[in-house]
Amino acid sequence: MIPLLRRKESSYEYLMKLDSLTIDATRAALQERKITATTLAEAFYSKIETDDPRIGAYLTLCKDRALAKAGEIDGRAARGDDLPPLAGVPVGIKDVMVTRGVRTTAGSKILGNYIPPYDCTAVARMEAAGAVVLGKTNCDEFAMGSSNENSAWHPVHNPRDLSRVPGGSSGGSAAAVAADMAVAALGTDTGGSIRQPASFCGVVGLMPTYGRVSRYGLIAFASSLDRIGPITKTVKDAATILQVIAGRDPMDSTSPDAPVPNYLAELEKPVHGLKLGMPAEYFGEGVDPEVRKAVEEAIQMLASLGCEIVPISLPHTKYAIPTYYIVATAEASSNLARFDGVRYGYRAAGARNLSEMYRRSREEGFGTEVKRRIMLGTYVLSAGYYEAYYLKAQKVRTLLASDFDEAFKKVDAIVTPTSPTAAFKLGEKTNDPLAMYLADIFTVTADLVGIPGISVPCGETKGKLPIGLQILGKHFDEGTILRVGHAYERNVG
């Protein structure tokens, strides 16, 4: 319940307990006329105005759009209409999803003034379900990064410790939810970019199966890896949002006509008897002892709920990082070729010919990490190295998929740490790209093989930094990982 805490002259001034707001609480308060969607949106904008200068979670706010939607929800509530599942819920949208009439930059100067003429399918479905879009959240440029320090505009700071990174590339979305500047947010996951920042910021991050959520309107990084998913405060909220955004979209050829189950009903199924795989490769060298301890304790709690813990092996895990950075950079070099200063986006001034205009526009518009990945991708796709690198990486990708296929013959889901460490310091890894890439060592494999995964908070370090438990599932079996995450969350209170 959201209490009325203060009365001011002839009008009410609501001071919201924003840290306790969930989707259910928001919708119930609106339905019962305890608050209005407009008042709630204004409260979140006040919070953003006060706190975001220190955090940097948002790049662009769209207050007119938000208040128009809030007014529509208030009208429905006043008439006594049943409210849609996300009615009045203030949300943030990662700035790689296009929004009609609202600046969309993908965290890059090359799209610094881009105003899209249409909405991303996931955003359109969120708004159709009543969500109030507050604005666009900061991200690593073109979603390329593990720390949200690669944004062309400014880095994002972790709300739990402003000296540390929030994780990337969806760090703005995770920070907005963790700092109570949105009830929920949409992020994208290409190599861990929903789950890792969720882990670092102490919130829930769900990556659906590849194709479960339409990518139409998502500015592509790596087309065979990119996925849209929710970042929320609870597993139930993640299930609610997935219910809204999942399903076939004729505008996306990779969106299958697969049935979408009732995810909220799946949450209530017992976990007793489920077999959970515990891969040895995710608990070995390189895992921080505090992270290992917290995750092992979480797994033991699941065992106490009746889950059977099964030791398994995913033997090709050690090849996941090099495989990912070959496949992802190859696709990035192809996808980013369109940003040439001709059709839309940044164009360098004063170029003397077409070749110079191409070169300077890309040189001035792209940041260091994006240039690095374009160069890597172009190299591995070149005639002399295609078979040695890209083709071999695709073969290893098949072996990784086989590892999971074999594992899922024995278990219903797999439990691991989300990240080998808690959030690291800002600037700690910026001069060591390889160390930065290794931060995704436990998340990239699920992206390569297309399975769903969720990160659920499972404790803290002695320094009060959040730790995440990762739960991986079979293709299109988000229901099981949501059920396991919900059972754990409910039993730790």
Side-chain angles (χ1 to χ4, degrees):
M1 193 66 66
I2 303 169
L4 175 65
L5 296 181
R6 185 185 302 167
R7 183 172 180 135
K8 185 178 180 181
E9 298 177 356
S10 61
S11 65
Y12 289 107
E13 179 181 338
Y14 290 91
L15 296 181
M16 310 297 177
K17 288 188 175 179
L18 302 184
D19 62 336
S20 63
L21 271 185
T22 63
I23 291 173
D24 279 352
T26 302
R27 190 173 178 277
L30 290 168
Q31 190 79 66
E32 296 167 12
R33 308 296 304 281
K34 305 279 192 217
I35 58 169
T36 67
T38 301
T39 301
L40 186 59
E42 292 281 12
F44 272 90
Y45 279 121
S46 294
K47 177 76 168 172
I48 292 167
E49 182 180 357
T50 301
D51 291 357
D52 201 43
R54 296 181 297 113
I55 296 171
Y58 283 93
L59 290 178
T60 303
L61 299 176
C62 47
K63 193 169 184 178
D64 290 345
R65 177 172 175 154
L67 294 181
K69 187 66 182 180
E72 176 191 324
I73 296 298
D74 289 337
R76 296 178 69 168
R79 294 191 299 270
D81 297 344
D82 283 339
L83 296 181
L86 301 181
V89 176
V91 300
I93 304 295
K94 185 176 178 179
D95 204 31
V96 291
M97 292 171 237
V98 299
T99 40
R100 180 174 50 83
V102 178
R103 186 179 76 136
T104 300
T105 73
S108 178
K109 290 184 178 179
I110 209 161
L111 286 175
N113 295 310
Y114 177 54
I115 309 294
Y118 68 100
D119 281 321
C120 174
T121 294
V123 175
R125 289 180 177 179
M126 291 276 283
E127 286 194 310
V132 174
V133 175
L134 299 173
K136 308 300 291 293
T137 57
N138 201 352
C139 57
D140 283 312
E141 186 177 7
F142 286 100
M144 298 181 190
S146 304
S147 65
N148 226 138
E149 295 172 282
N150 294 331
S151 169
W153 311 110
H154 50 77
V156 181
H157 298 255
N158 192 319
R160 298 289 290 268
D161 181 343
L162 295 176
S163 71
R164 296 182 182 270
V165 303
S169 62
S170 303
S173 289
V177 175
D180 307 314
M181 296 188 294
V183 171
L186 288 184
T188 63
D189 201 307
T190 306
S193 293
I194 288 174
R195 291 160 291 151
Q196 187 241 35
S199 175
F200 281 9
C201 292
V203 292
V204 174
L206 173 63
M207 174 189 70
T209 304
Y210 181 80
R212 175 63 92 184
V213 176
S214 171
R215 291 183 299 112
Y216 180 70
L218 170 62
I219 298 172
F221 164 11
S223 300
S224 74
L225 301 168
D226 294 342
R227 302 181 225 175
I228 295 172
I231 296 175
T232 59
K233 293 182 179 178
T234 69
V235 174
K236 185 176 182 181
D237 280 1
T240 301
I241 291 179
L242 183 60
Q243 195 76 58
V244 167
I245 63 177
R248 169 72 180 150
D249 178 10
M251 300 301 289
D252 178 5
S253 62
T254 62
S255 168
D257 192 14
V260 177
N262 184 332
Y263 293 117
L264 293 177
E266 291 286 315
L267 294 181
E268 302 308 317
K269 293 181 179 179
V271 297
H272 183 86
L274 287 180
K275 294 182 178 181
L276 304 181
M278 191 172 172
E281 293 80 4
Y282 286 66
F283 291 86
E285 185 179 352
V287 182
D288 182 273
E290 289 186 280
V291 171
R292 181 188 291 110
K293 182 174 184 290
V295 172
E296 288 176 347
E297 288 176 353
I299 293 170
Q300 286 307 307
M301 174 174 282
L302 290 169
S304 73
L305 298 176
C307 296
E308 179 183 349
I309 309 304
V310 181
I312 62 170
S313 178
L314 299 169
H316 294 95
T317 297
K318 62 184 176 181
Y319 303 117
I321 287 287
T323 300
Y324 171 80
Y325 279 99
I326 290 172
V327 173
T329 57
E331 294 185 13
S333 70
S334 177
N335 280 325
L336 270 60
R338 72 193 72 177
F339 299 104
D340 54 13
V342 176
R343 287 157 285 192
Y344 55 90
Y346 175 78
R347 177 184 292 185
R352 293 166 294 182
N353 53 54
L354 185 63
S355 177
E356 183 181 348
M357 190 268 287
Y358 283 160
R359 186 179 67 254
R360 285 183 50 198
S361 294
R362 292 169 66 81
E363 180 182 351
E364 296 170 18
F366 288 137
T368 301
E369 182 60 28
V370 172
K371 291 175 185 174
R372 179 183 293 120
R373 298 196 190 195
I374 290 173
M375 291 173 68
L376 282 169
T378 303
Y379 178 79
V380 302
L381 288 176
S382 61
Y385 298 98
Y386 176 86
E387 290 190 5
Y389 292 102
Y390 184 73
L391 186 59
K392 188 172 290 186
Q394 292 291 17
K395 290 178 179 178
V396 176
R397 188 177 186 179
T398 301
L399 293 175
L400 290 165
S402 297
D403 284 352
F404 280 92
D405 289 343
E406 287 301 311
F408 284 128
K409 291 177 182 178
K410 305 171 186 175
V411 300
D412 300 295
I414 294 170
V415 283
T416 79
T418 305
S419 174
T421 68
F424 46 87
K425 292 276 190 179
L426 285 156
E428 182 178 326
K429 300 185 180 183
T430 50
N431 294 322
D432 188 349
L434 183 57
M436 185 75 78
Y437 295 166
L438 288 171
D440 296 332
I441 192 167
F442 295 155
T443 54
V444 296
T445 313
D447 292 276
L448 286 165
V449 302
I451 60 175
I454 189 171
S455 179
V456 180
C458 70
E460 296 178 342
T461 66
K462 292 178 181 177
K464 301 298 181 184
L465 298 175
I467 297 169
L469 169 69
Q470 178 175 231
I471 308 164
L472 304 174
K474 303 172 186 176
H475 289 98
F476 297 102
D477 190 18
E478 293 86 1
T480 296
I481 63 173
L482 287 164
R483 188 193 341 169
V484 174
H486 181 62
Y488 171 75
E489 182 182 73
R490 183 168 51 194
N491 281 275
V492 295

